Amino acid sequence: MAFAQADAVESEVQRNISSFRTHRWQDHFETLENGVILSDTSSRMLQYWSEDGRVSKIYPTSVPLTEDLTRLGYTRVVRKVNGPSWRPTPSMKERNPEWPDYVGPGPQNPLGTHALYLSWQYYRVHGTNDTRKIGRRSSNGCIGLYNEQIQELFALAKIGTQVKLI
């Protein structure tokens, strides 16, 4: 009897396997000028729309560990780096004094293979070499993607791409 009830409930409930909550760009941006990136920190996903509206992508992400590390609002892409180097921010170094002062490009780099630098100091959309982080609260403020997906987004986004974190 319990199985029959569970099946009846299951057939009435629509499930989103990915658990992403998708958005319409028009609800967050006035135009698609330069393309737009919307990162939803609650559902841990990032959406991209091209300037002409023909390209739309959805990617799973890692998000900041805590609310106090999460910055929300509007920013833009100001720099793109293939093979970024990484330096911990002063607050990261304070929390983790054992961390190195610098990590060059490569498999040990927390920024992965590509990084989109935002107009907010220390914030980036970047890849990760630790794929366990995607879909989790695991970053120190940045939005992380699988390396294959940041490579694709890197090719699509340009300097001046509008970005909003919600």
Side-chain angles (χ1 to χ4, degrees), residues 6 9 15 28-29 36-37 46 52 75 84 87 95 101 115 124 129 155 161 166:
V9 171
R15 304 232 183 248
H28 299 277
F29 300 94
V36 298
I37 293 172
L46 179 145
D52 63 9
T75 183
R87 293 183 193 306
R95 288 189 308 272
D101 292 331
R124 300 168 187 24
N129 293 312
T161 296
I166 60 172

Side-chain angles (χ1 to χ4, degrees), residues 44 61-65 131-139:
R44 300 173 189 159
T61 65
S62 64
V63 297
L65 282 166
T131 58
R132 299 170 299 171
K133 291 184 173 189
I134 303 301
R136 301 176 186 270
R137 289 194 164 279
S138 59
S139 80

Side-chain angles (χ1 to χ4, degrees), residues 9 58 60 69 83-84 92 97 103 119 125 131 157:
V9 171
I58 299 174
L69 292 172
M92 286 180 200
V103 178
S119 62
V125 176
T131 58

Side-chain angles (χ1 to χ4, degrees), residues 85-147:
S85 57
W86 175 79
R87 293 183 193 306
T89 66
S91 62
M92 286 180 200
K93 198 65 172 164
E94 190 176 299
R95 288 189 308 272
N96 303 282
E98 73 283 0
W99 283 5
D101 292 331
Y102 172 84
V103 178
Q108 301 306 312
N109 189 308
L111 298 183
T113 60
H114 297 76
L116 301 173
Y117 288 64
L118 304 178
S119 62
W120 298 333
Q121 185 179 25
Y122 303 129
Y123 287 85
R124 300 168 187 24
V125 176
H126 62 79
T128 182
N129 293 312
D130 185 353
T131 58
R132 299 170 299 171
K133 291 184 173 189
I134 303 301
R136 301 176 186 270
R137 289 194 164 279
S138 59
S139 80
N140 282 281
C142 295
I143 303 299
L145 281 75
Y146 291 113
N147 279 329

